[in-house]
């Protein structure tokens, strides 16, 4: 009851009006490139063992799906007007091709972080020397049936891809000096 009343009363005011105590010292920014937690996280995520674990997990899921015939035969259908699309016989090869994984990696300056994912890369981002690479591929068929005319055709789809790289970043500036002055309701 007391917590509910506190949260309700603080929602009536903007965040800067809730706390009457204003820090008297200068700001104390959070630096991503010197944070031990971020540096340790970066070292754990961006090591070869993590990539091996991610690729092993992808192989495990693929083996499970194949062994239980989950995507054999007709596994999904979609109706558009009088035409029914039956998706069937999905097969895949070489899906475990994650070659780069960067999460919350400090970049540019103390306030920027970068996330990156390399998939099906025949070379790594830092080393452009080519190495042999089996392209990840997915294949499936789509049967088309008309409600009155029956089967009207089959579409076979084969997708192969190499060298997919996705990067995104953010600039975040946290002032840690305000942290002790926040109440629990400010964070909720």
């Amino acid at each position: 009851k007391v917590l509910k009343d506190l949260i309700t009363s603080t929602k009536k005011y903007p965040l800067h009006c809730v706390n009457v105590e204003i820090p008297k010292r200068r700001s104390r920014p959070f630096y991503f490139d010197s944070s031990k937690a971020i540096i340790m996280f970066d070292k754990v995520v961006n090591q070869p063992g993590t990539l091996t674990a991610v690729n092993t997990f992808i192989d495990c899921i693929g083996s499970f799906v194949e062994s239980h015939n989950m995507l054999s035969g007709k596994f999904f259908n979609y109706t558009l007007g009088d035409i029914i699309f039956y998706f069937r016989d999905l097969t895949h090869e070489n899906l475990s091709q994650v070659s780069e994984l960067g999460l919350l990696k400090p970049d540019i300056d103390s306030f920027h972080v970068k996330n990156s994912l390399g998939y099906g890369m025949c070379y790594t981002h830092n080393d452009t020397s080519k190495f042999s690479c089996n392209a990840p591929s997915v294949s499936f068929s789509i049967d088309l049936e008309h409600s009155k005319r029956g089967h009207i055709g089959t579409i076979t789809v084969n997708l192969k891809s190499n060298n997919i790289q996705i990067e995104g970043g953010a600039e975040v500036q946290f002032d840690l000096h305000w942290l002790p002055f926040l109440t629990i309701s400010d964070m909720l």
Side-chain angles (χ1 to χ4, degrees):
K1 170 95 173 116
V2 174
L3 183 60
K4 181 182 175 188
D5 291 340
L6 178 65
I7 292 171
T8 305
S9 68
T10 58
K11 285 185 177 179
K12 296 177 186 175
Y13 303 104
L15 184 62
H16 65 277
C17 295
V18 173
N19 296 316
V20 293
E21 295 184 49
I22 297 174
K24 294 175 178 62
R25 291 185 277 163
R26 292 185 304 160
S27 68
R28 189 177 66 183
F30 178 79
Y31 298 112
F32 286 101
D33 58 353
S34 62
S35 167
K36 289 183 181 180
I38 297 291
I39 292 169
M40 288 173 55
F41 180 78
D42 181 47
K43 286 182 180 179
V44 168
V45 171
N46 296 315
Q47 66 176 329
T50 304
L51 292 176
T52 302
V54 168
N55 286 323
T56 301
F57 178 73
I58 292 171
D59 277 340
C60 180
I61 296 296
S63 297
F64 179 81
V65 168
E66 279 183 18
S67 67
H68 289 83
N69 294 322
M70 297 173 89
L71 300 174
S72 296
K74 294 178 182 176
F75 62 88
F76 179 75
N77 61 29
Y78 178 76
T79 304
L80 182 64
D82 289 339
I83 299 176
I84 303 170
F85 298 82
Y86 290 105
F87 291 78
R88 65 176 173 87
D89 301 328
L90 187 133
T91 59
H92 57 83
E93 292 179 359
N94 306 314
L95 291 184
S96 57
Q97 295 287 327
V98 178
S99 58
E100 181 181 349
L101 183 63
L103 299 174
L104 298 177
K105 191 171 187 171
D107 190 38
I108 301 175
D109 62 17
S110 300
F111 303 110
H112 287 81
V113 289
K114 179 176 89 170
N115 299 310
S116 61
L117 172 69
Y119 184 74
M121 302 294 286
C122 287
Y123 60 89
T124 61
H125 184 65
N126 298 328
D127 180 18
T128 56
S129 63
K130 298 280 184 183
F131 60 91
S132 62
C133 173
N134 296 322
S137 65
V138 175
S139 303
F140 60 92
S141 297
I142 304 171
D143 289 333
L144 303 161
E145 289 189 16
H146 192 271
S147 60
K148 296 177 183 170
R149 297 186 180 151
H151 183 75
I152 55 175
T154 300
I155 300 171
T156 303
V157 179
N158 296 310
L159 303 170
K160 278 190 173 187
S161 63
N162 269 353
N163 303 330
I164 297 173
Q165 187 162 14
I166 300 169
E167 287 188 357
E171 177 184 6
V172 183
Q173 294 188 13
F174 291 118
D175 186 352
L176 294 179
H177 192 66
W178 281 91
L179 193 59
F181 295 92
L182 293 175
T183 62
I184 190 74
S185 61
D186 293 341
M187 292 186 232
L188 296 175

